[in-house]
Amino acid sequence: MILGLDEAIVRRAVSAARPDRAPVSADETAEVFARAAWSGIAEPGDGVAGTLVAALGAAGALAAVNEEHDPAGLAHEVGEATGEELTRESMRAAVERWRPRLVASDALRFLTSAGARGAALLVPDDPEWPAGFGDLGPHRPAALWCLGNAALLASPLPIALVGARAATGYGEHVCAEASTGLVDRGFAIVSGAAYGIDGMAHRAALASGGATVAFLAGGVDRFYPSGHDALLTRIAQAGAVVSELPCGSSPTRWRFLQRNRLIAAASLATVVVEAGLRSGSLNTAGHAASLGRPLGAVPGPVTSAASAGCHRLLREFDAVCVTNADEMAELVLGPQEPLVEAASRQEPEATRVLDAMSSRPRSVDDIARAAGLSVASVRSALGVLELEGLVSETPTGWRRP
Amino acid sequence: MILGLDEAIVRRAVSAARPDRAPVSADETAEVFARAAWSGIAEPGDGVAGTLVAALGAAGALAAVNEEHDPAGLAHEVGEATGEELTRESMRAAVERWRPRLVASDALRFLTSAGARGAALLVPDDPEWPAGFGDLGPHRPAALWCLGNAALLASPLPIALVGARAATGYGEHVCAEASTGLVDRGFAIVSGAAYGIDGMAHRAALASGGATVAFLAGGVDRFYPSGHDALLTRIAQAGAVVSELPCGSSPTRWRFLQRNRLIAAASLATVVVEAGLRSGSLNTAGHAASLGRPLGAVPGPVTSAASAGCHRLLREFDAVCVTNADEMAELVLGPQEPLVEAASRQEPEATRVLDAMSSRPRSVDDIARAAGLSVASVRSALGVLELEGLVSETPTGWRRP
């Protein structure tokens, strides 16, 4: 029994949204069902819910809240189980904010609408669950709802490409090049399906036949923005469209901010391609930084307000300046061997000897005087330069060819 | 007696290039004369010469080299005086490279041509000597030759604006804005008078009536590049044109590289405005970094090869991303108080309550359910939001205006 529902009803609802999974025990099914319920009860990022679920399991937490346990006792129980300190007051406030949404039929509806839409419910034990979500601690989502190829969430090289909706032609061009280049290097492109940079990141990945994952701030049955209906349909076919909110949920400002934490946590690095000072992608960058994930920012003209947010990330948030797909890949894969430029290897004395020479032959003494070097040093430098084919000796002296 | 010259001849020659200085003792005059001589004997940046001059004085060092002291004895004497370890071998090699230029008439010629040109000779004890040169240690110049207002070398706020000769319209635009803005804030603009960014830095400073100093890689009697004859003439009138090389010296690649150390050392910070991967301004940036001076780089489009050097400085050399004169000034003056954005001060609960509301009045219970918050939290958030004028109460509930 969970939320007063019959076991068979729960099992049928869960299998609607997990049609291809092997059958599991009644307890496990109840746990999955409870996670579906929690995904609609607690707002994204609710740390008290995350702590309670971690302590009692999703079903246990649901039962405790439903059965109106004393919040003080509940807080104490959580402390015993997890070592997390929750105050009686925060638990009481949390139970009060969850209770208006404790409706058994809601969870049933989430699962059946997902099933009808072809969206799958994922829980933390599933192999597709993004490994990076572990770093979210109590703020990790209770569940994920996924349209498309859920296996892409377990891609070995996920990288976030995000940026402003108000992108310029420059930003979109750089984004397309970056996305294509990263796909060529085996990366999966994670973004938020917004207009501008996000959309271009997905679009270029799809065009290159690459893997791409869009995290939405509302349910996966409500593509947002509506102008990206066709793009999101293609992502759902060739990639994955994912949300922590159940079907029927609308995006809100709060949910956009919390969605950004999932983009950052699901990715090994986050790159802000183009962003003004008020772009929401700076919030994603902040999540990446606070998760300790590498953060890259693409510079642009200082005369472009659309790049001012990227420049701020470079100035104030220690973002790495990235200018192409190689440098973005390096955020994840570490530095590659630097190129040693021939010019920098040249000895100072050789430079000075070459400076002192021309196509007219000169004696070693003349060269020494002009270069401000001893005759011996000039002889030695000339020897090396001759080997490199940069100077030659003539009957009347040394010259540059 | 110095280099076998009569004291009266030495005094006359020195006063030609220092016409307005108070008379000094014969020893002091000999010392100034010897520095003029060293500026033509040792190539710029010759650390052995710098160490020897620091140990024995310029005149003493000149006498020791001229009188063919035993290099091993000389190295020992320097070690006693300065604690600097010079090997016998490096001293022997140095004496060999200096000797071809040990010609008394050269030093006389430097001083008389400078006098004829109106160029002044500066030595480290002069009040105009750039304070920052102390950090060059044995690589500091023996003397400076200066056309124009030498007092600008002692400007309290010197900043270097450097960059590529092959500048774009973007780079020149940003450079002009930066130079003007820095002049407005009391900075003196230091640069190298090259085509492109350097020239624009000087030009914009002059146009704003600001102080500007050009360091040349050859003598100040040979304006280089020749296409900047008119510009250098104006800098010599309203600013200062400076070189460590005596009149008659031509610029060489070596001297350009060493000239860059003077630009970096004379300035409290160095900003590379626009630079390709092979721009000489990256060498100036390297000098600034190795002197521990703040280094700024202006980003540009990643599609522009003319900004690739700046991006490399940001990526690999810890340069600070600077996008305007304020941020460049901050390199020197330290951070200013950051702006706190109103949006970031808004409480998460207030955001969620606002998200849940519209222009249609809703009950507190409805808002609590939609926002996923307790009724008590919603009431409290509504109170704050009402004070801020963001929501209002109507007979049928709360609404956003």
Side-chain angles (χ1 to χ4, degrees):
Chain A
M1 285 282 281
I2 183 160
L3 292 179
L5 293 170
D6 183 84
E7 191 184 309
I9 290 175
V10 167
R11 180 174 295 281
R12 199 156 52 238
V14 165
S15 63
R18 294 166 65 86
D20 302 327
R21 311 268 159 181
V24 291
S25 72
D27 279 357
E28 286 169 308
T29 302
E31 190 66 15
V32 171
F33 181 86
R35 286 193 170 272
W38 274 112
S39 80
I41 291 168
E43 278 295 307
D46 185 328
V48 180
T51 304
L52 187 68
V53 166
L56 310 182
L62 199 56
V65 174
N66 195 41
E67 290 155 19
E68 313 209 12
H69 281 199
D70 166 39
L74 212 48
H76 180 74
E77 207 176 328
V78 169
E80 296 280 294
T82 63
E84 292 280 331
E85 284 292 339
L86 283 180
T87 63
R88 175 195 171 147
E89 181 42 41
S90 69
M91 184 56 80
R92 194 194 53 70
V95 171
E96 276 187 47
R97 69 176 173 255
W98 299 331
R99 198 155 285 151
R101 290 178 173 175
L102 267 179
V103 181
S105 59
D106 279 357
L108 288 174
R109 183 165 46 80
F110 301 156
L111 288 158
T112 50
S113 347
R117 270 288 189 150
L121 172 66
L122 298 175
V123 296
D125 284 340
D126 289 329
E128 300 94 334
W129 190 259
F133 281 7
D135 292 343
L136 290 170
H139 302 288
R140 76 173 181 184
L144 290 177
W145 303 87
C146 175
L147 263 182
N149 183 358
L152 295 182
L153 286 168
S155 154
L157 286 174
I159 190 167
L161 285 186
V162 296
R165 283 167 291 174
T168 66
Y170 165 73
E172 294 200 339
H173 167 77
V174 173
C175 181
E177 296 280 312
S179 182
T180 303
L182 288 165
V183 160
D184 288 347
R185 287 161 184 78
F187 283 84
I189 308 300
V190 179
S191 197
Y195 291 129
I197 297 300
D198 286 22
M200 184 54 84
H202 294 299
R203 209 172 276 125
L206 290 172
S208 313
T212 192
V213 178
F215 280 93
L216 299 188
V220 295
D221 60 329
R222 301 191 166 192
F223 285 169
Y224 183 93
S226 56
H228 275 177
D229 248 356
L231 174 61
L232 280 159
T233 302
R234 286 168 58 214
I235 299 173
Q237 281 157 1
V241 176
V242 188
S243 176
E244 65 183 306
L245 286 145
C247 286
S249 310
S250 32
T252 62
R253 278 195 298 161
W254 175 260
R255 290 169 182 172
F256 279 114
L257 296 174
Q258 292 300 315
R259 180 275 310 266
N260 293 341
R261 92 190 189 289
L262 297 191
I263 291 175
S267 306
L268 294 173
T270 292
V271 173
V272 182
V273 178
E274 187 179 42
L277 286 173
R278 297 182 149 276
S279 166
S281 61
L282 301 189
N283 172 254
T284 312
H287 284 298
S290 66
L291 289 166
R293 304 286 166 82
L295 173 62
V298 176
V302 300
T303 45
S304 165
S307 283
C310 288
H311 297 150
R312 189 173 172 197
L313 291 175
L314 292 172
R315 274 180 67 71
E316 299 175 26
F317 296 92
D318 250 350
V320 176
C321 173
V322 287
T323 66
N324 55 39
D326 266 333
E327 293 174 357
M328 295 174 193
E330 208 176 280
L331 288 175
V332 171
L333 303 173
Q336 297 164 308
E337 189 159 342
L339 291 169
V340 177
E341 282 172 31
S344 68
R345 281 202 313 262
Q346 200 171 83
E347 292 297 316
E349 298 203 338
T351 302
R352 281 161 63 173
V353 166
L354 276 178
D355 283 348
M357 295 176 69
S358 67
S359 55
R360 189 174 60 79
R362 295 184 81 170
S363 73
V364 171
D365 285 354
D366 277 357
I367 296 169
R369 189 180 149 86
L373 292 170
S374 70
V375 166
S377 298
V378 170
R379 277 195 209 287
S380 131
L382 287 170
V384 175
L385 290 167
E386 188 179 26
L387 284 175
E388 292 174 356
L390 295 170
V391 301
S392 58
E393 197 173 6
T394 69
T396 54
W398 291 82
R399 59 187 289 272
R400 292 170 73 169
Chain B
M1 285 283 279
I2 184 157
L3 292 179
L5 294 170
D6 184 85
E7 192 185 310
I9 291 175
V10 167
R11 179 175 295 279
R12 202 159 47 239
V14 165
S15 63
R18 294 165 66 84
D20 302 327
R21 312 267 159 183
V24 292
S25 72
D27 280 358
E28 286 169 308
T29 302
E31 190 67 16
V32 170
F33 181 87
R35 286 194 170 270
W38 275 111
S39 80
I41 292 167
E43 278 295 308
D46 185 329
V48 180
T51 304
L52 188 66
V53 167
L56 309 182
L62 198 56
V65 175
N66 194 42
E67 290 156 21
E68 313 211 11
H69 281 200
D70 166 40
L74 214 47
H76 180 74
E77 206 176 327
V78 169
E80 294 280 291
T82 64
E84 293 280 331
E85 283 291 337
L86 283 181
T87 64
R88 177 195 169 147
E89 182 43 43
S90 69
M91 183 57 79
R92 196 195 52 70
V95 170
E96 276 187 47
R97 68 176 174 255
W98 300 331
R99 198 157 283 152
R101 291 178 173 177
L102 267 177
V103 181
S105 59
D106 279 356
L108 287 174
R109 184 167 43 82
F110 301 157
L111 288 158
T112 49
S113 348
R117 271 284 189 156
L121 171 68
L122 298 175
V123 296
D125 284 340
D126 289 329
E128 300 93 335
W129 190 259
F133 281 7
D135 292 343
L136 290 170
H139 303 287
R140 76 174 181 181
L144 290 178
W145 304 88
C146 175
L147 263 183
N149 183 0
L152 296 181
L153 285 169
S155 153
L157 287 174
I159 189 165
L161 286 185
V162 296
R165 284 167 291 174
T168 67
Y170 165 73
E172 295 202 337
H173 167 77
V174 173
C175 182
E177 295 278 314
S179 182
T180 302
L182 288 165
V183 161
D184 289 347
R185 287 162 183 76
F187 282 83
I189 308 301
V190 179
S191 196
Y195 291 130
I197 298 301
D198 286 23
M200 183 55 86
H202 294 299
R203 210 173 274 125
L206 290 173
S208 313
T212 192
V213 178
F215 280 92
L216 299 188
V220 296
D221 60 329
R222 300 191 168 193
F223 286 168
Y224 183 93
S226 57
H228 274 177
D229 247 356
L231 174 61
L232 280 160
T233 302
R234 285 169 58 214
I235 300 174
Q237 282 159 358
V241 176
V242 189
S243 175
E244 65 184 303
L245 286 144
C247 287
S249 310
S250 30
T252 62
R253 279 195 299 160
W254 175 261
R255 291 170 181 172
F256 280 114
L257 296 174
Q258 292 301 314
R259 181 275 311 265
N260 294 341
R261 93 190 188 290
L262 297 191
I263 291 175
S267 307
L268 294 172
T270 292
V271 172
V272 182
V273 178
E274 187 179 43
L277 286 173
R278 297 180 149 274
S279 165
S281 62
L282 302 189
N283 172 255
T284 312
H287 283 298
S290 66
L291 289 166
R293 303 284 166 82
L295 173 62
V298 176
V302 300
T303 46
S304 165
S307 283
C310 287
H311 297 150
R312 189 173 173 199
L313 291 176
L314 291 172
R315 274 180 67 71
E316 297 176 25
F317 296 92
D318 249 350
V320 176
C321 173
V322 287
T323 66
N324 55 38
D326 266 332
E327 292 173 359
M328 295 174 193
E330 206 175 283
L331 288 174
V332 171
L333 304 174
Q336 298 165 310
E337 189 158 344
L339 291 169
V340 178
E341 281 172 31
S344 67
R345 281 202 310 261
Q346 200 171 82
E347 292 296 317
E349 299 205 336
T351 303
R352 281 160 65 173
V353 166
L354 275 178
D355 282 349
M357 295 176 68
S358 67
S359 56
R360 189 174 60 76
R362 294 186 81 169
S363 73
V364 171
D365 285 355
D366 277 358
I367 296 169
R369 188 179 149 87
L373 292 171
S374 70
V375 166
S377 297
V378 170
R379 275 194 209 289
S380 131
L382 285 171
V384 174
L385 290 167
E386 188 179 26
L387 284 176
E388 291 174 356
L390 295 170
V391 302
S392 58
E393 196 171 10
T394 69
T396 53
W398 290 82
R399 61 189 286 274
R400 291 170 73 170

